[in-house]
Amino acid sequence: MRATIVGAGLAGSEAAWYLASHGVDVTLYESRPHFRSDAHVTDAPAELVCSNSLKSEDLTRPTGQLKRELAAFGSLLMEAAFQSRVPAGSALAVDRDAFSAHVAGRLEAHPRITFIRQEITQVPSQNAIVATGPLTSPALFDALLQRIGAEGYFYDAIAPVVEADSIDWDAAYYGNRWGKGDDPEAYINCPLEREEYEALVMAILGAQKVAPRAFEDPRYFESCLPVEVMAERGHDALRYGPLRPVGLKDPRTGRTPWAVLQLRTENLHRSSYNLVGFQTRMTY
């Protein structure tokens, strides 16, 4: 038996690995580098185009349970994540380049997987999984519309990353929320007093934003809102969202700040950090 999988993103890579590991011959198609969406920056399979966090590993949460179940079923993505993980407290975060490289190496080495770099413009006729997601190429998307009347949209926001040597340690301290995790230096915290927080909110509201492009439709996913959209919903929205200070007492003052901006390790070298929960369309 042979199966065709279109798209070597997270879903397509996992599907190809699972089927091949259970005796099915797989032809895996990936359009890059021949066609690359405006959101991708590499040609690697399983590229993480937004955050490097795969969310909590806490087994009392659905995301933690799902990770345990995936690992039990031999998930390639969980294997790659554990191999490329970076300190992130109770969350599972990865070095995104190492993560994609691990997935690529495993897929290309599997004897039952034929990995073809080619854009597919029509829906395969049988035994196929179309895993191209919201970044489907225009030609294939038109074919899907004709076949099943599909509707899709994409809205992009960048997750800002800062260089480690740009951090002002007079205004920052290490610490995981509630002290969770094995590495006490997984997160860097930048405390904000009330006046600083209010100035930040006003700056976000007044900042220039990138206008949506032709392929984008601003329908927001509530669990991953751009920071400026959260700020528009209320002056304290960020203080109860990504800037919430709970569990992050400042060791220098002994008290909980008004708000805290967290930085999470971005790569294995700790040379850069991700602004947690700060996906945005603000211009540079």
Side-chain angles (χ1 to χ4, degrees):
M1 179 179 178
R2 175 168 289 277
T4 298
I5 297 177
V6 184
L10 297 176
S13 296
E14 187 75 277
W17 180 261
Y18 184 85
L19 290 175
S21 298
H22 288 76
V24 178
D25 293 319
V26 174
T27 301
L28 175 61
Y29 288 95
E30 170 55 46
S31 65
R32 292 170 291 158
H34 308 293
F35 170 83
R36 183 187 294 167
S37 78
D38 291 330
H40 286 96
V41 296
T42 77
D43 296 327
E47 178 187 344
L48 296 171
V49 298
C50 186
S51 172
N52 71 325
S53 173
L54 305 181
K55 294 192 174 288
S56 177
E57 286 190 284
D58 188 339
L59 292 178
T60 64
R61 299 192 175 198
T63 55
Q65 283 290 344
L66 180 59
K67 289 177 181 61
R68 171 171 283 192
E69 292 170 11
L70 283 167
F73 280 106
S75 164
L76 173 61
L77 298 186
M78 287 297 97
E79 176 187 294
F82 295 145
Q83 288 292 323
S84 61
R85 71 184 305 157
V86 295
S90 61
L92 177 59
V94 303
D95 180 313
R96 64 185 77 211
D97 292 333
F99 176 82
S100 292
H102 184 95
V103 173
R106 296 288 268 162
L107 291 177
E108 291 167 356
H110 200 294
R112 287 192 176 274
I113 297 176
T114 302
F115 197 177
I116 300 176
R117 298 281 187 167
Q118 176 185 327
E119 181 185 358
I120 299 299
T121 59
Q122 295 295 323
V123 180
S125 59
Q126 59 183 358
N127 294 339
I129 297 174
V130 178
T132 50
L135 300 174
T136 299
S137 68
L140 180 57
F141 187 65
D142 288 343
L144 285 168
L145 282 174
Q146 296 174 12
R147 182 76 171 268
I148 59 175
E151 180 183 10
Y153 63 92
F154 181 74
Y155 187 73
D156 190 25
I158 61 171
V161 174
V162 298
E163 299 298 321
D165 58 10
S166 72
I167 297 170
D168 179 3
W169 284 102
D170 290 334
Y173 61 92
Y174 284 116
N176 302 341
R177 201 178 300 276
W178 304 118
K180 292 183 177 180
D182 298 329
D183 190 330
E185 298 183 356
Y187 288 89
I188 297 172
N189 303 294
C190 304
L192 299 172
E193 297 301 330
R194 183 170 186 168
E195 296 77 13
E196 295 170 314
Y197 169 79
E198 292 177 349
L200 174 61
V201 171
M202 294 305 296
I204 291 172
L205 292 174
Q208 182 179 358
K209 316 298 191 300
V210 177
R213 287 168 286 184
F215 73 98
E216 293 179 306
D217 186 0
R219 304 188 211 176
Y220 304 116
F221 175 47
E222 288 295 321
S223 296
C224 193
L225 291 171
V227 65
E228 58 270 17
V229 174
M230 286 187 276
E232 290 169 357
R233 293 185 173 183
H235 200 76
D236 282 331
L238 293 176
R239 200 165 70 85
Y240 288 93
L243 297 184
R244 63 191 183 281
V246 294
L248 294 171
K249 186 177 292 186
D250 189 336
R252 300 167 301 183
T253 65
R255 61 184 179 84
T256 300
W258 184 257
V260 172
L261 169 62
Q262 282 200 301
L263 309 178
R264 181 181 58 240
T265 310
E266 172 70 16
N267 57 31
L268 293 170
H269 306 293
R270 301 198 193 208
S271 61
S272 57
Y273 286 80
N274 188 291
L275 277 67
V276 177
F278 252 66
Q279 53 273 11
T280 181
R281 292 190 65 96
M282 289 183 283
T283 59
Y284 282 101

